[in-house]
Coordinates of all heavy atoms in Angstrom, one line a residue:
A168 N 115.2 96.6 106.5 CA 114.7 96.0 105.3 C 114.0 94.7 105.6 O 113.3 94.2 104.7 CB 115.8 95.8 104.3
Q169 N 114.2 94.1 106.7 CA 113.7 92.8 107.1 C 112.6 92.8 108.1 O 112.1 91.8 108.5 CB 114.8 91.9 107.5 CG 115.9 91.7 106.5 CD 116.9 90.6 107.0 OE1 116.6 89.5 107.2 NE2 118.2 91.0 107.1
T170 N 112.2 94.0 108.5 CA 111.2 94.1 109.6 C 109.9 94.7 109.0 O 109.9 95.2 107.8 CB 111.6 95.0 110.7 OG1 112.0 96.3 110.2 CG2 112.8 94.4 111.4
D171 N 108.8 94.7 109.7 CA 107.5 95.1 109.2 C 107.4 96.6 109.1 O 106.7 97.1 108.2 CB 106.4 94.7 110.2 CG 106.4 93.2 110.4 OD1 106.7 92.5 109.4 OD2 106.0 92.7 111.5
G172 N 108.2 97.4 109.9 CA 108.2 98.8 109.8 C 109.2 99.4 110.7 O 109.9 98.7 111.4
S173 N 109.4 100.7 110.5 CA 110.5 101.5 111.3 C 109.9 102.8 111.8 O 109.0 103.3 111.2 CB 111.7 101.8 110.4 OG 112.3 100.6 109.9
I174 N 110.5 103.2 112.9 CA 110.2 104.5 113.5 C 111.5 105.3 113.5 O 112.5 104.8 113.9 CB 109.6 104.4 114.9 CG1 108.3 103.6 114.9 CG2 109.4 105.8 115.5 CD1 107.8 103.3 116.3
L175 N 111.4 106.5 113.0 CA 112.6 107.4 112.9 C 112.6 108.4 114.0 O 111.6 109.2 114.1 CB 112.7 108.1 111.6 CG 113.9 109.0 111.3 CD1 115.2 108.2 111.3 CD2 113.7 109.8 110.0
M176 N 113.6 108.4 114.9 CA 113.7 109.4 115.9 C 114.6 110.6 115.4 O 115.7 110.4 114.9 CB 114.4 108.8 117.2 CG 114.8 109.8 118.2 SD 113.5 110.7 119.0 CE 113.0 109.5 120.3
I177 N 114.1 111.8 115.6 CA 114.8 113.0 115.2 C 114.8 114.0 116.4 O 113.8 114.3 116.9 CB 114.1 113.7 114.0 CG1 114.1 112.8 112.8 CG2 114.9 115.0 113.6 CD1 113.3 113.4 111.6
K178 N 116.0 114.4 116.7 CA 116.2 115.4 117.8 C 116.0 116.8 117.2 O 116.7 117.2 116.3 CB 117.5 115.3 118.5 CG 117.8 116.3 119.6 CD 119.2 116.0 120.2 CE 119.4 117.1 121.3 NZ 120.8 116.9 121.8
S179 N 115.1 117.5 117.7 CA 114.8 118.9 117.2 C 116.0 119.8 117.2 O 116.7 119.8 118.2 CB 113.7 119.5 118.0 OG 113.4 120.8 117.6
G180 N 116.3 120.4 116.1 CA 117.4 121.3 116.0 C 118.8 120.6 115.8 O 119.8 121.3 115.8
N181 N 118.8 119.3 115.7 CA 120.0 118.6 115.7 C 120.4 118.0 114.3 O 121.5 117.7 114.0 CB 120.0 117.4 116.7 CG 121.3 116.7 116.9 OD1 122.3 117.3 117.2 ND2 121.3 115.4 116.7
V182 N 119.4 118.0 113.4 CA 119.6 117.4 112.1 C 119.3 118.4 111.0 O 118.2 119.0 111.0 CB 118.6 116.2 111.9 CG1 118.8 115.5 110.5 CG2 118.8 115.1 113.0
Q183 N 120.3 118.6 110.1 CA 120.1 119.5 109.0 C 119.2 118.9 108.0 O 119.1 117.7 107.8 CB 121.5 119.8 108.4 CG 122.5 120.5 109.3 CD 122.1 121.9 109.7 OE1 121.5 122.6 108.9 NE2 122.3 122.3 110.9
I184 N 118.4 119.8 107.3 CA 117.5 119.3 106.3 C 118.2 118.5 105.2 O 117.7 117.5 104.7 CB 116.7 120.5 105.7 CG1 115.8 121.1 106.7 CG2 115.9 120.0 104.5 CD1 114.8 120.2 107.4
Q185 N 119.4 118.9 104.8 CA 120.2 118.1 103.8 C 120.4 116.7 104.3 O 120.3 115.7 103.5 CB 121.5 118.8 103.5 CG 122.3 118.1 102.4 CD 121.5 117.9 101.1 OE1 120.8 118.8 100.7 NE2 121.7 116.7 100.5
T186 N 120.7 116.5 105.6 CA 120.9 115.2 106.2 C 119.6 114.4 106.1 O 119.6 113.2 105.8 CB 121.4 115.3 107.6 OG1 122.7 116.0 107.7 CG2 121.6 113.9 108.2
L187 N 118.5 115.1 106.4 CA 117.3 114.4 106.4 C 116.9 114.0 105.0 O 116.4 112.9 104.8 CB 116.2 115.3 107.0 CG 114.8 114.7 107.2 CD1 114.9 113.6 108.2 CD2 113.8 115.8 107.6
R188 N 117.2 114.8 104.0 CA 117.0 114.4 102.6 C 117.8 113.2 102.2 O 117.3 112.3 101.6 CB 117.5 115.6 101.7 CG 116.5 116.8 101.6 CD 116.9 117.6 100.4 NE 116.0 118.8 100.3 CZ 116.4 120.0 100.7 NH1 117.6 120.2 101.2 NH2 115.6 121.0 100.5
E189 N 119.0 113.1 102.7 CA 119.9 112.0 102.3 C 119.4 110.7 103.0 O 119.3 109.6 102.4 CB 121.3 112.3 102.8 CG 122.0 113.4 102.0 CD 123.3 113.8 102.6 OE1 123.7 113.3 103.7 OE2 123.9 114.7 102.1
V190 N 118.9 110.8 104.3 CA 118.4 109.7 105.0 C 117.1 109.2 104.3 O 116.9 108.0 104.1 CB 118.1 110.0 106.4 CG1 117.3 108.9 107.1 CG2 119.4 110.1 107.2
R191 N 116.3 110.2 103.9 CA 115.0 109.8 103.2 C 115.2 109.1 101.9 O 114.6 108.1 101.6 CB 114.2 111.0 103.0 CG 112.7 110.7 102.7 CD 111.9 111.9 102.3 NE 111.8 112.0 100.9 CZ 111.3 113.1 100.3 NH1 110.9 114.1 101.0 NH2 111.2 113.1 99.0
T192 N 116.2 109.6 101.1 CA 116.5 108.9 99.9 C 117.0 107.5 100.1 O 116.7 106.5 99.4 CB 117.6 109.7 99.1 OG1 117.1 111.0 98.9 CG2 118.0 109.0 97.8
Q193 N 117.8 107.3 101.2 CA 118.4 106.0 101.6 C 117.2 105.1 101.9 O 117.2 103.9 101.5 CB 119.3 106.2 102.8 CG 120.2 105.0 103.1 CD 121.1 105.2 104.2 OE1 120.9 106.1 105.0 NE2 122.2 104.5 104.3
L194 N 116.3 105.6 102.7 CA 115.1 104.7 103.1 C 114.3 104.4 101.9 O 113.8 103.2 101.7 CB 114.3 105.5 104.1 CG 114.9 105.8 105.5 CD1 114.0 106.7 106.3 CD2 115.2 104.5 106.2
L195 N 114.1 105.3 101.0 CA 113.3 105.0 99.8 C 114.0 104.0 98.9 O 113.3 103.1 98.3 CB 113.0 106.3 99.0 CG 112.0 107.3 99.6 CD1 112.2 108.7 98.9 CD2 110.6 106.8 99.5
N196 N 115.3 104.2 98.7 CA 116.0 103.3 97.8 C 116.0 101.9 98.3 O 116.0 100.9 97.5 CB 117.5 103.8 97.7 CG 117.6 105.0 96.8 OD1 116.7 105.4 96.1 ND2 118.7 105.7 96.9
F197 N 116.0 101.7 99.6 CA 115.9 100.3 100.2 C 114.5 99.9 100.5 O 114.3 98.8 101.1 CB 116.8 100.2 101.4 CG 118.3 100.2 101.1 CD1 119.0 101.3 101.0 CD2 118.9 99.0 100.9 CE1 120.4 101.3 100.7 CE2 120.3 98.9 100.6 CZ 121.0 100.1 100.5
K198 N 113.5 100.7 100.1 CA 112.1 100.4 100.3 C 111.8 100.1 101.8 O 111.0 99.2 102.1 CB 111.7 99.2 99.4 CG 111.9 99.5 97.9 CD 111.5 98.3 97.1 CE 111.8 98.6 95.6 NZ 111.4 97.4 94.8
I199 N 112.3 100.9 102.6 CA 112.1 100.8 104.1 C 110.7 101.4 104.4 O 110.5 102.6 104.0 CB 113.2 101.5 104.9 CG1 114.6 101.0 104.5 CG2 112.9 101.3 106.4 CD1 114.7 99.5 104.7
R200 N 109.9 100.7 105.1 CA 108.6 101.3 105.5 C 108.7 102.1 106.7 O 109.0 101.5 107.8 CB 107.6 100.2 105.6 CG 106.2 100.7 106.0 CD 105.1 99.7 106.0 NE 103.9 100.4 106.2 CZ 102.7 99.7 106.4 NH1 102.7 98.4 106.5 NH2 101.6 100.4 106.5

Side-chain angles (χ1 to χ4, degrees):
Q169 301 187 59
T170 58
D171 299 329
S173 299
I174 299 173
L175 180 65
M176 168 66 85
I177 300 173
K178 181 180 176 182
S179 178
N181 190 55
V182 181
Q183 298 294 324
I184 293 302
Q185 181 57 38
T186 301
L187 189 60
R188 285 195 181 101
E189 293 169 359
V190 167
R191 197 186 98 187
T192 299
Q193 195 177 22
L194 295 171
L195 287 166
N196 287 343
F197 283 88
K198 301 179 182 179
I199 305 302
R200 182 174 187 187

